[in-house]
Amino acid sequence: MYDPLYYAAAILSAVALALLARWFFGRRQIASEAREDWEARQERSLATIKGVDQATFERIFISAHEPRWSLYAAGTLIGVILISPLAGVFLMWAWPAFTSMLDGGPWYDVGYYPWMFYMFFGMVALWAGVGFVASRLFYARRPEPFRAALARARGESLDDVELPRKRPAWAKRARPDPKPSNEKSSE
């Protein structure tokens, strides 16, 4: 009876493991790119790393560019696997309390459509709660942008640093009107 749940847990565990491997190997690659960038900056643009040691530069570079999404996605999948049995027990425990407020017909017995609807959407809601917590953590713990963190490490005030912003792809050809008219045409 529980074989499909074990298969689903095994598949989700394998995907979580693959995501953890993606994060680990991506972080290693970013670390080697950080060393290369440090060496290139020492040769060409020493002013950008003035007062910053190599370990600090690598830490800033890695934290700004690592694939954090895969780490949090793996954590979300592991959370879903761990919460599912507890959610099933909780939902089964809450079903009689929920149906006691209703008319108590035989269609509210376990196994009928109202119970299936309740269990399905209850599990989905609890899984969405795990995703909500993971996304809140992902955005709350996001690192500072690389250029701003590097400027802070150099001891510069962030008010003096001008961070270039890339134009969105949709706005490449859009140009502002040099003489905006405040008059409405009466046509």
Side-chain angles (χ1 to χ4, degrees):
M1 176 175 165
Y2 296 107
D3 288 341
L5 298 178
Y6 291 135
Y7 295 144
I11 290 169
L12 289 179
S13 298
V15 171
L17 189 61
L19 287 168
L20 285 173
R22 163 69 175 103
W23 173 78
F24 178 75
F25 291 116
R27 188 174 167 91
R28 281 185 47 194
Q29 181 182 3
I30 296 293
S32 68
E33 290 175 10
R35 285 187 289 277
E36 291 171 8
D37 193 18
W38 172 262
E39 292 167 2
R41 285 176 186 260
Q42 280 187 329
E43 293 173 6
R44 289 187 303 241
S45 56
L46 196 56
T48 60
I49 56 172
K50 183 179 79 173
V52 179
D53 61 338
Q54 185 175 1
T56 304
F57 178 83
E58 288 180 10
R59 180 183 51 80
I60 291 170
F61 191 93
I62 291 170
S63 70
H65 296 98
E66 72 178 329
R68 295 175 50 243
W69 65 269
S70 60
L71 183 65
Y72 283 89
T76 303
L77 291 177
I78 292 169
V80 164
I81 292 168
L82 295 177
I83 200 171
S84 291
L86 298 174
V89 169
F90 171 74
L91 289 171
M92 287 298 294
W93 172 79
W95 179 247
F98 177 69
T99 57
S100 67
M101 296 181 288
L102 303 172
D103 62 356
W107 46 85
Y108 293 118
D109 289 343
V110 172
Y112 287 99
Y113 286 123
W115 177 81
M116 288 185 228
F117 182 85
Y118 164 80
M119 288 298 288
F120 176 78
F121 285 106
M123 290 295 272
V124 168
L126 291 171
W127 293 339
V130 172
F132 172 77
V133 169
S135 68
R136 293 288 296 183
L137 288 173
F138 178 79
Y139 286 108
R141 300 184 68 202
R142 78 174 159 233
E144 195 172 23
F146 175 67
R147 291 183 186 203
L150 189 58
R152 188 184 305 278
R154 287 191 306 254
E156 297 175 12
S157 172
L158 286 182
D159 296 332
D160 301 334
V161 176
E162 185 175 323
L163 298 175
R165 295 189 181 205
K166 186 178 175 184
R167 277 186 84 134
W170 58 268
K172 295 280 187 206
R173 294 188 199 127
R175 300 283 179 231
D177 189 8
K179 295 181 183 178
S181 64
N182 292 334
E183 302 173 10
K184 292 183 179 180
S185 65
S186 58
E187 295 176 15

